[in-house]
Amino acid sequence: MANVASLLTLVKLVLRFLISGGIATAVHWGVFWGLLTLQIEAVLASSIGAFIGAIVNYFLQYFFTFKTKRQHKKALLAYTPAVLISWLLNLGFFYSLYGGLFSDPLIAQVVTTGVVMVVNFLLYKKVVFRAK
């Protein structure tokens, strides 16, 4: 019975993570698309979008997904290196995919986001918010 309860807890956590991450991703992609529309270079647009999305993501993950009691100072000290890893991963994957496998920056960003999402969940769960 304990295994079922822990599995249910994990499923709920993943669902909240996907909702929070989905909102932050929508912000990222909205900024990205807006900057592309303004003729900003795609890699720079993706980087700026990821940065702004990361700010939104912190608050959603802190208050909604993980509902942590951890002080903001400690959470931010753990979040900053984690988000830097995610930001660099986004930048590296997007740079590699755009113009390589994909000529459309939007498709390259969707694929990049899928990879970064998995890494983010593991980093946030194990390091930043320390969810059980």
Side-chain angles (χ1 to χ4, degrees):
M1 195 66 162
N3 287 337
V4 172
S6 62
L7 180 61
L8 185 58
T9 300
L10 179 61
V11 168
K12 288 178 184 177
L13 183 67
V14 169
L15 288 174
R16 286 193 313 264
F17 175 80
L18 291 173
I19 291 167
S20 297
I23 293 168
T25 298
V27 170
H28 172 176
W29 289 359
V31 170
F32 174 60
W33 179 82
L35 292 173
L36 287 176
T37 302
L38 295 172
Q39 304 296 312
I40 302 296
E41 196 276 324
V43 174
L44 180 59
S46 177
S47 296
I48 293 170
F51 177 76
I52 293 171
I55 293 168
V56 171
N57 194 44
Y58 171 78
F59 291 102
L60 290 170
Q61 300 298 344
Y62 185 92
F63 290 109
F64 176 68
T65 303
F66 297 100
K67 300 176 183 175
T68 186
K69 303 289 187 230
R70 198 170 192 194
Q71 295 176 335
H72 278 291
K73 182 179 179 180
K74 289 182 181 180
L76 280 169
L77 284 173
Y79 184 74
T80 301
V83 83
L84 181 60
I85 290 167
S86 296
W87 185 80
L88 289 171
L89 188 60
N90 178 81
L91 178 64
F93 263 86
F94 183 80
Y95 181 79
S96 298
L97 293 175
Y98 178 60
L101 288 175
F102 304 106
S103 60
D104 184 341
L106 298 176
I107 294 172
Q109 187 61 65
V110 168
V111 173
T112 297
T113 298
V115 172
V116 173
M117 177 183 63
V118 173
V119 173
N120 281 348
F121 179 76
L122 295 173
L123 283 172
Y124 297 166
K125 184 177 186 300
K126 297 294 184 181
V127 178
V128 178
F129 301 110
R130 295 187 185 169
K132 294 179 182 171

